[in-house]
Amino acid sequence: MTLARFVRSLLLAGSVFCALAAPHAALARPGVVALEKSQYLQGDFTLNRHLSGFDKGLKSQGDFVLVPGAGLIWQTTAPFPGTTVLGPGGIVNIDANGDRNKLGTGEAQFGIFVDLISSVLEGNWSALENRFHVEFSPPGNDTWQVKLTPFGESAIGGQITDIVATGDTFVQQVRLNKPGGDFDDISLSRQQTRNLPLPDDKAALLPKAAGE
């Protein structure tokens, strides 16, 4: 299960992402690390896609790097190596041989989709409140849960029933529930913030300014 396939399923509702262009402010709720402009976030992921009627999900693992405002690097190591880069200019797949396949052009929806993913990973819920009902569960034992339910009139409501994020200092789990009983589970681990610039191998995957 690649991030590109996951992204394409959400881009069916591409018009809604254009409405998510809220100012990117570090307004994370207590207990969530807010990234500074000079920082980036890195960690590992496990992505499981569960399809109704199948006992076993489709699983992939790897690591990610998020640079707010610049892009997201999603590098799958298993079951097959590959890299997906989401940036304001579009979505690029890079296979194990280094061959690039551009999946999207520089339409506004792609840059705004990066803002959407960034907001979830950073816990910047205020950036999503214009298209999602944001519900916070009572905190307990240093953990929290946030449920994002798309407004009924939005296009994304036909693709996503709700998004549930849980975590402590960082977002640790994101579950995307879909109509018909399908859902995607993303587990995040070993997360840490670091100061820019990016390592050379990561910077080469994003626009040059992200590594400076």
Side-chain angles (χ1 to χ4, degrees), residues 5-154:
R5 185 175 299 171
F6 164 69
V7 169
R8 283 197 295 269
S9 68
L10 288 183
L11 286 178
L12 292 175
S15 60
V16 74
F17 300 132
C18 295
L20 292 174
H24 191 84
L27 297 176
R29 296 301 196 273
V32 181
V33 170
L35 293 180
E36 303 293 338
K37 291 183 178 180
S38 61
Q39 293 182 318
Y40 65 94
L41 176 68
Q42 67 177 34
D44 295 341
F45 73 85
T46 299
L47 172 60
N48 280 285
R49 165 163 285 187
H50 297 266
L51 301 176
S52 180
F54 292 86
D55 293 333
K56 293 184 178 180
L58 304 174
K59 181 178 178 180
S60 62
Q61 295 175 295
D63 58 78
F64 72 92
V65 170
L66 170 66
V67 184
L72 172 67
I73 302 170
W74 195 264
Q75 294 189 295
T76 302
T77 56
F80 305 105
T83 300
T84 300
V85 180
L86 291 83
I91 303 172
V92 176
N93 259 359
I94 307 173
D95 64 22
N97 297 319
D99 295 329
R100 294 175 176 247
N101 177 28
K102 194 166 188 178
L103 303 181
T105 58
E107 298 179 14
Q109 66 191 46
F110 293 104
I112 296 168
F113 179 74
V114 175
D115 288 341
L116 170 62
I117 291 293
S118 299
S119 296
V120 173
L121 292 180
E122 291 181 69
N124 185 13
W125 315 117
S126 61
L128 305 174
E129 289 175 345
N130 61 332
R131 278 291 170 172
F132 291 87
H133 172 66
V134 183
E135 179 182 356
F136 294 88
S137 297
N141 298 326
D142 299 322
T143 63
W144 49 263
Q145 177 174 290
V146 179
K147 183 177 181 179
L148 305 172
T149 305
F151 294 156
E153 72 276 10
S154 67

Side-chain angles (χ1 to χ4, degrees), residues 160-203:
I160 299 294
T161 305
D162 56 59
I163 301 171
V164 179
T166 58
D168 41 43
T169 303
F170 296 99
V171 177
Q172 301 289 353
Q173 191 87 17
V174 180
R175 173 166 170 151
L176 293 91
N177 294 308
K178 304 176 183 181
D182 296 348
F183 64 92
D184 292 337
D185 261 333
I186 306 174
S187 299
L188 306 171
S189 61
R190 299 179 62 187
Q191 296 181 81
Q192 54 186 314
T193 59
R194 291 187 177 274
N195 293 325
L196 292 170
L198 291 171
D200 290 344
D201 60 331
K202 303 293 187 183

